[in-house]
Amino acid sequence: AYILITVPANSSHKVADFIKELPGVEEVAPIYGGADVFVKVAIDSEDELAELVMEKIQKMENVEETRTFIAISKLHWQR
């Protein structure tokens, strides 16, 4: 799954530093554009994803909004 996070100005590095330590997180990057932090996670179930997003990430200080995207596995291509 992929998570886009919106945070206040100058706080993306703090959020990224915290998120990179969470279980299941494979990649974290502060980004330019409509969101401020990009997160790639490998989670075994939707329940685990909900726990990560709703109980850990959304409850963090400075997190204003999250948008979660789940790839369609049979159409997903990766190098």
Side-chain angles (χ1 to χ4, degrees):
Y2 304 93
I3 306 164
L4 295 177
I5 304 170
T6 303
V7 300
N10 300 315
S11 62
S12 58
H13 66 285
K14 294 175 198 170
V15 171
D17 283 345
F18 178 83
I19 289 174
K20 71 182 181 184
E21 303 301 327
L22 296 175
V25 173
E26 292 187 336
E27 184 177 346
V28 179
I31 57 174
Y32 298 114
D36 303 297
V37 180
F38 170 87
V39 182
K40 179 181 176 184
V41 298
I43 299 294
D44 292 330
S45 70
E46 284 189 43
D47 288 340
E48 288 180 36
L49 180 60
E51 173 75 20
L52 176 67
V53 174
M54 295 170 31
E55 298 300 323
K56 294 187 175 136
I57 295 175
Q58 289 181 348
K59 290 185 177 182
M60 289 179 56
E61 183 178 349
N62 294 320
V63 170
E64 295 178 341
E65 178 183 28
T66 63
R67 291 187 295 153
T68 304
F69 302 86
I70 300 173
I72 301 169
S73 59
K74 67 181 181 179
L75 300 177
H76 183 236
W77 180 84
Q78 184 173 333
R79 188 172 303 276

